[in-house]
Amino acid sequence: MTVANDEQWPTPFKEWLTRTASAADDIADSGVRRLKRRFGHEDIPKIQPYMGYATSERIYLHGRVLTNPPIDSDYQTDHWWRNLQNAVQRFVSNEVPGVTIEGAFDGHTATTTSDSEGYFHLTLDRPPQESAAFWDMAKLRIKNHPRARRESDQTTCHLLSVPSEAKFAIISDVDDTILHTGATNIVTMAKLTFFGNARTRAPLDGVAALYERLQCEDGNTPINPIFYVSSSPWNLYDLLEDFLELNAIPRGPLLLRDLGFDENKFLKSGHEHKLDKARRLIRAYKHLPFLLFGDSGQEDARLYAAAAEEFPDRIRGIFIRDVDPMISSSHDAKVDQYVRQAAQAGVPMYLIKDSVQAAEIAAEHGWLDRDALPTIVQATRRDTERPPV
């Protein structure tokens, strides 16, 4: 839901519209909550946790407080009308602001308060550790809320810890990089968003095998972290998390976009936040080089070229999936200029047609063991021949 790019709107009008929309949204939400309290129908707040991640010094946890968190779907039997009902529930969220949340891990705790749209972010100090599990669990709970219930006021969230033997980290886009979305066609994208589910979404051919071998040098033990950034809103978090699991794509923290009306949210480009999140990750993991994956259909090449100029010594390579590899298109011409821009910064950017080509390039640079190539070729061929869902 990208309304417009910043430069298309006169600054004074944009600021006025942002303030007006934000105020109207806050008034409407607070009005609904007052009515529910008055008639005794105030809902019970619950935590929707998002995957967290840890550096050697800090732990980052986040999530959202809602009274109607997404429900588990039955992907085998759900029909289009059930998918539509679930999609509507995701976007008609009942957020709960002002809730105190406590996060805890390994004896360390911190508290924060949910914002006007129910989002919260927690940062915990982390003591030095000789070793840690690649995946661990942190705890989240609601503190001192009159409507909270013991059975629903606490939850756990997955926490990614990067091992000392990690060789690099991956930042990957989602739409048309690992997941077919038809982002260049608004009708196709809307159909998939509102009438499909995690099972009906198709992964890019061979992407599961490619990412698994980039993450696990031996094919079994994960050492290299993968972070997923997307212009999709946080409302689709549960669907994307399920998509990764159902398609055996290595899981990793999903960093999505807020569709709220607050400053820096409303009328802001739906893609710029991906560069902001990439910056934070690169700065957080000072000892790791990065590989970036995106696609040619949106703004990934431009954003990643800007990242290459800003962090030329930290980014080893950039892979851009060609959304229309069978033809030469305007997308290719647009990527070409950013290939040159990244090259001037000393960072190679590759426009790739499929997972096999990405694997071959990664093997040439030593980012991937050559023994993994047959597995990725076979997986890509199998996925190509897979009948549509």
Side-chain angles (χ1 to χ4, degrees):
M1 180 183 168
T2 303
V3 180
N5 290 329
D6 285 348
E7 58 268 19
Q8 294 177 300
W9 295 81
T11 299
F13 175 74
K14 184 177 81 91
E15 292 175 351
W16 171 83
L17 188 56
T18 299
R19 290 194 301 269
T20 302
S22 179
D25 184 53
D26 291 343
I27 291 170
D29 288 344
S30 62
V32 170
R33 287 191 291 270
R34 283 198 303 271
L35 285 173
K36 286 186 175 182
R37 284 196 299 269
R38 178 176 298 177
F39 291 101
H41 296 301
E42 190 175 5
D43 296 320
I44 298 172
K46 304 177 184 67
I47 299 173
Q48 181 188 16
Y50 303 145
M51 290 185 217
Y53 57 93
T55 67
S56 59
E57 300 175 345
R58 300 284 185 271
I59 294 170
Y60 300 95
L61 305 176
H62 55 156
R64 198 177 190 190
V65 183
L66 302 167
T67 61
N68 63 337
I71 60 175
D72 292 333
S73 298
D74 183 352
Y75 298 118
Q76 298 301 321
T77 60
D78 279 358
H79 297 286
W80 69 264
W81 56 86
R82 180 61 174 171
N83 294 331
L84 177 60
Q85 180 182 357
N86 291 340
V88 170
Q89 180 176 335
R90 289 186 183 100
F91 285 94
V92 185
S93 56
N94 296 329
E95 61 271 8
V96 189
V99 176
T100 301
I101 303 294
E102 179 183 78
F105 180 77
D106 199 22
H108 287 253
T109 63
T111 60
T112 190
T113 303
S114 59
D115 67 14
S116 61
E117 294 176 37
Y119 296 104
F120 65 86
H121 302 270
L122 277 161
T123 302
L124 285 70
D125 290 331
R126 183 182 186 185
Q129 294 179 324
E130 293 184 3
S131 62
F134 192 82
W135 283 107
D136 215 322
M137 301 294 288
K139 296 179 180 180
L140 296 167
R141 73 183 182 99
I142 296 173
K143 292 189 64 177
N144 305 323
H145 192 281
R147 294 289 296 172
R149 298 292 181 267
R150 183 171 296 277
E151 65 274 13
S152 62
D153 69 355
Q154 51 192 318
T155 188
T156 57
C157 65
H158 291 288
L159 176 67
L160 170 66
S161 293
V162 179
S164 58
E165 60 267 29
K167 302 293 180 58
F168 52 80
I170 293 172
I171 296 176
S172 173
D173 179 46
V174 173
D175 299 343
D176 293 313
T177 301
I178 65 170
L179 165 67
H180 281 293
T181 65
T184 57
N185 185 308
I186 189 66
V187 175
T188 301
M189 186 169 61
K191 179 181 177 181
L192 289 171
T193 298
F194 291 102
F195 297 101
N197 59 39
R199 187 182 64 83
T200 61
R201 298 296 190 94
L204 272 292
D205 298 336
V207 71
L210 172 64
Y211 279 23
E212 181 181 22
R213 292 310 301 263
L214 284 170
Q215 183 178 82
C216 310
E217 287 190 342
D218 61 0
N220 297 302
T221 307
I223 62 169
N224 300 318
I226 302 177
F227 300 90
Y228 298 97
V229 297
S230 173
S231 296
S232 295
W234 285 108
N235 308 66
L236 297 181
Y237 179 89
D238 67 300
L239 186 148
L240 294 177
E241 187 177 40
D242 290 342
F243 169 80
L244 294 177
E245 181 178 356
L246 287 170
N247 292 284
I249 299 173
R251 64 182 174 179
L254 287 154
L255 306 174
L256 309 181
R257 182 169 67 99
D258 184 0
L259 285 181
F261 290 102
D262 293 345
E263 186 64 34
N264 298 323
K265 298 174 187 175
F266 185 60
L267 295 182
K268 182 176 181 179
S269 168
H271 303 287
E272 297 297 329
H273 86 102
K274 291 193 286 189
L275 179 56
D276 293 338
K277 288 180 169 60
R279 287 188 182 111
R280 293 178 193 173
L281 291 170
I282 293 171
R283 290 167 179 160
Y285 295 98
K286 298 180 176 61
H287 66 291
L288 278 180
F290 279 77
L291 300 178
L292 310 184
F293 283 78
D295 69 271
S296 65
Q298 299 292 332
E299 298 293 325
D300 295 341
R302 176 179 65 83
L303 297 174
Y304 288 170
E309 289 183 327
E310 192 169 346
F311 303 99
D313 298 328
R314 301 292 310 286
I315 298 174
R316 293 292 184 266
I318 300 170
F319 296 85
I320 301 296
R321 281 186 176 268
D322 192 343
V323 296
D324 44 16
M326 304 306 295
I327 62 173
S328 179
S329 69
S330 59
H331 296 301
D332 302 337
K334 185 171 65 173
V335 171
D336 284 344
Q337 63 176 311
Y338 299 120
V339 169
R340 293 191 295 270
Q341 181 179 338
Q344 289 176 353
V347 178
M349 178 186 291
Y350 302 98
L351 181 64
I352 56 170
K353 64 179 182 180
D354 58 20
S355 296
V356 173
Q357 186 178 10
E360 291 171 345
I361 293 170
E364 289 175 5
H365 286 278
W367 304 323
L368 181 73
D369 193 320
R370 284 198 169 275
D371 291 343
L373 290 178
T375 299
I376 296 169
V377 170
Q378 182 180 7
T380 303
R381 183 182 300 116
R382 181 192 64 231
D383 291 349
T384 302
E385 298 170 352
R386 174 183 52 205
V389 177

